[in-house]
Amino acid sequence: MIKLDQFLKFLGIAPTGGQAKLMIIDGNVKVNGVVETRRGRKLIATDEVTVEGKTFLVGEVID
């Protein structure tokens, strides 16, 4: 399990936690097709995160 803001940092999409927070609060991130505004949202391996037009399967990135 990983938090949404940590996942964005891990991907390199957001270089800092503050930038990840802003991306999430601004509604630029979707989890399983739904806009997610909670930066502490816990992700599981089957979740799909979409940001900047790209979709990432959590399990494929963090395994």
Side-chain angles (χ1 to χ4, degrees):
M1 203 174 331
I2 186 170
K3 291 182 181 178
L4 181 56
D5 59 347
Q6 293 171 337
F7 185 71
L8 294 179
K9 284 176 27 182
F10 184 81
L11 288 173
I13 292 173
T16 67
Q19 192 167 12
K21 176 183 173 182
L22 290 175
M23 291 175 74
I24 295 165
I25 290 173
D26 289 343
N28 296 325
V29 180
K30 291 182 180 180
V31 177
N32 300 324
V34 179
V35 173
E36 180 59 70
T37 57
R38 297 172 293 167
R39 66 183 179 138
R41 160 80 187 259
K42 293 180 182 172
L43 303 172
I44 58 173
T46 56
D47 285 333
E48 290 183 342
V49 176
T50 304
V51 61
E52 296 181 352
K54 296 178 184 172
T55 300
F56 304 91
L57 182 61
V58 174
E60 290 180 357
V61 176
I62 61 171
D63 281 344

